[in-house]
Amino acid sequence: MANSSRAPGRSRRLRAALVVSAAVGLLATAGAVVLPGSASAASTLGASAAERGRYFGTAVAVSRLNDSAYTTILNREFNQVTAENEMKIDALQPNQGQFNYGNADRLVQHARSQGMLVRGHTLAWHSQQPGWMQNMSGTTLRNAMLNHVTQVATHFRGQIEWWDVVNEAFQDGSSGARRDSNLQRTGNDWIEAAFRAARQADPNADLCYNDYNIDNWNDAKTQAVYRMVQDFKSRGVPIDCVGLQSHFTGGSNYPSNYRTTLSSFAALGVDVHITELDIRNAPTDAYRNVVNDCLAVARCKGITVWGIRDSDSWRSSENPLLFNGSGQKKPAYDAVLAALNNGTAPPTGNPTTPPPGAGCTATVTPGQVWGDRYNTSVTVSGASTWSVVVAITAPQKISSTWSGNPTWDSSGNVMTMRSNGSGNTFGFTTMMNGNSSARPQIRSCTAG
Ligand code: 9MR
């Protein structure tokens, strides 16, 4: 499996980075009042997120690193950065075979000096291609794209925590189809080919698919991306995460089912990231909801806002960010920091990923959801007789099962489902009992 070629310990690296930046944040808050009973009340976004095992980041325009007002806020508040434009294809390979890493390297250096994690954006995209690539097609384009992925991921190897390997490859609207582009016309497998090349070039980076308008669980585009990720996981295509850009600007709004979208992607066995957040007029409620939704989903690793001050935004007339043009904190900033400080740490471990070498793989497919309960089905591959251990978060309870023989531990929260000759897919219904966000986690799949 492609995944087995990954170097061990990269999640330890992320954890260490977050702990370090949490410690920096705590030092920075040394004089702050810590309320009895609360873990702490961090005074910056990054420090507070880090205490909850998350990051809080921003897009950075490298030219603004010369603006000291900008850099002061960047260094104080954020523990993750994404290059707003400097790691795009046209920036890194303006002429074929001629790579220009100057600006991107400058950002990476700045981030490293401040203990910030770096998200690479983006290896393959229909947009912001240099002229020479726009004019290509067929095998020539496919090979040029793969070469770009390989060269760039190799150049930054060891410095990038997550790569947006492919960006915005699906159409808006009701079709659920891939977006037409020169890359798409090289064959439907261009996306998985890019992921495989990226994994080979940098086995330590987590590899993400990133898109906008995949926030509303009911949208055809969301469902289409979900099916692609499900397919990739079932075939061993090396994908680790999905980025929801979450531009709630330009007429697109925060959807009330956003948490369902995050938890549904996570249930496929990938991390989720909120990668380009901005919200028209920066309403406190919507910003608070986004933070609470991320904190409610253990695999939501962090939030990146798409710029620091309103004046830095690609949609500056909508004033969608957390700081105003003078660099002052807006009410949305206070709402975000309070929501982070109220949040709890995610459960330890990574129980949705079955341990390797167990002889089979269990893939979760979320089923129908009602007001008080929801269905889940689990498909086992790699063995015809098996046992799968599924953990439920109390007070949720499994109320019925089908197509397997279940046994339970003493808490009633951990079910071992054994094959009973009725095929490789079993299912169950879970009563929410007041917790509508938790979803079952696969602990193991054992053959025999
Ligand atoms: O914010 C970026 C802006 O400065 C660029 O002109 C634009 C060009 O495509 O890209 C913007 O960033 C986009 C990101 O790379 C992908 N998702 C949508 C973002 C906003 O357009």
Side-chain angles (χ1 to χ4, degrees):
M1 283 235 318
N3 278 357
S4 62
S5 64
R6 305 191 64 196
R10 74 159 295 288
S11 57
R12 278 200 301 279
R13 185 159 61 92
L14 167 60
R15 188 172 307 233
L18 290 173
V19 168
V20 167
S21 62
V24 170
L26 284 173
L27 287 178
T29 60
V33 178
V34 177
L35 299 173
S38 72
S40 69
S43 63
T44 67
L45 304 172
S48 184
E51 287 174 13
R52 274 132 208 105
R54 281 23 184 240
Y55 62 82
F56 204 99
T58 180
V60 169
V62 172
S63 60
R64 294 186 207 267
L65 290 176
N66 297 327
D67 169 350
S68 68
Y70 179 90
T71 310
T72 300
I73 304 174
L74 170 66
N75 295 351
R76 186 186 71 217
E77 296 289 342
F78 298 99
N79 59 0
Q80 181 274 336
V81 289
T82 305
E84 187 171 359
N85 288 299
E86 294 80 357
M87 289 192 194
K88 292 176 178 173
I89 315 172
D90 58 353
L92 292 185
Q93 199 181 170
N95 300 301
Q96 190 171 16
Q98 182 224 317
F99 290 84
N100 177 7
Y101 291 115
N103 286 330
D105 283 346
R106 185 167 168 220
L107 177 62
V108 170
Q109 245 171 3
H110 184 89
R112 284 170 78 86
S113 75
Q114 298 290 321
M116 299 166 174
L117 302 169
V118 184
R119 177 180 204 86
H121 172 81
T122 170
L123 293 170
W125 191 19
H126 68 276
S127 181
Q128 281 185 269
Q129 294 180 359
W132 62 267
M133 189 180 269
Q134 288 173 31
N135 293 328
M136 281 183 174
S137 62
T139 312
T140 321
L141 172 62
R142 173 70 69 96
N143 289 337
M145 179 275 285
L146 292 175
N147 182 54
H148 183 84
V149 170
T150 301
Q151 299 290 328
V152 171
T154 302
H155 174 83
F156 290 108
R157 183 156 50 194
Q159 316 196 51
I160 300 284
E161 201 68 24
W162 311 274
W163 266 115
D164 289 335
V165 178
V166 170
N167 194 38
E168 302 176 356
F170 281 79
Q171 259 179 39
D172 289 312
S174 59
S175 73
R178 293 279 185 87
R179 175 196 294 277
D180 179 51
S181 71
N182 60 350
L183 289 167
Q184 181 61 30
R185 277 177 251 128
T186 69
N188 210 47
D189 62 346
W190 74 276
I191 297 182
E192 60 194 84
F195 274 85
R196 291 198 163 98
R199 176 69 97 230
Q200 218 181 355
D202 185 354
N204 283 335
D206 268 7
L207 306 182
C208 302
Y209 175 79
N210 190 52
D211 214 332
Y212 66 92
N213 283 353
I214 58 167
D215 314 292
N216 187 323
W217 180 237
N218 296 326
D219 282 355
K221 187 171 173 182
T222 310
Q223 292 294 316
V225 172
Y226 177 86
R227 283 193 299 274
M228 179 187 75
V229 176
Q230 187 176 41
D231 169 53
F232 281 10
K233 292 299 284 182
S234 74
R235 290 190 295 112
V237 176
I239 184 167
D240 306 301
C241 37
V242 173
L244 287 81
Q245 293 183 9
S246 306
H247 287 291
F248 300 129
T249 43
S252 145
N253 294 320
Y254 164 84
S256 60
N257 59 19
Y258 190 62
R259 191 179 297 190
T260 302
T261 308
L262 295 173
S263 61
S264 299
F265 276 115
L268 290 175
V270 289
D271 291 334
V272 288
H273 297 253
I274 297 165
T275 53
E276 303 184 15
L277 180 65
D278 48 16
I279 313 182
R280 181 165 34 113
N281 298 327
T284 51
D285 278 358
Y287 264 110
R288 183 183 302 115
N289 287 339
V290 169
V291 172
N292 286 336
D293 289 343
C294 180
L295 292 176
V297 175
R299 294 197 81 143
C300 181
K301 295 294 175 187
I303 299 174
T304 309
V305 286
W306 206 240
I308 298 178
R309 303 164 302 196
D310 286 332
S311 48
D312 303 317
S313 168
W314 71 301
R315 283 187 183 267
S316 55
S317 66
E318 294 188 21
N319 298 314
L321 296 174
L322 302 179
F323 294 86
N324 69 18
S326 321
Q328 283 158 340
K329 296 170 183 173
K330 293 164 59 181
Y333 172 96
D334 297 328
V336 165
L337 182 61
L340 287 168
N341 278 333
N342 284 334
T344 50
T348 53
N350 189 10
T352 53
T353 306
C360 54
T361 305
T363 306
V364 170
T365 305
Q368 195 168 348
V369 181
W370 294 269
D372 61 341
R373 66 196 191 285
Y374 61 91
N375 282 349
T376 305
S377 62
V378 177
T379 300
V380 177
S381 58
S384 53
T385 57
W386 36 263
S387 59
V388 175
V389 177
V390 180
I392 300 296
T393 306
Q396 295 193 351
K397 273 276 180 279
I398 293 180
S399 56
S400 66
T401 71
W402 55 93
S403 306
N405 284 333
T407 53
W408 304 86
D409 78 343
S410 56
S411 72
N413 298 323
V414 180
M415 172 179 75
T416 300
M417 183 67 99
R418 292 190 172 77
S419 49
N420 67 355
S422 58
N424 270 357
T425 298
F426 66 90
F428 51 95
T429 301
T430 309
M431 302 305 299
M432 293 175 184
N433 296 330
N435 179 342
S436 58
S437 63
R439 287 294 180 267
Q441 298 173 333
I442 304 293
R443 290 222 173 135
S444 63
C445 184
T446 310

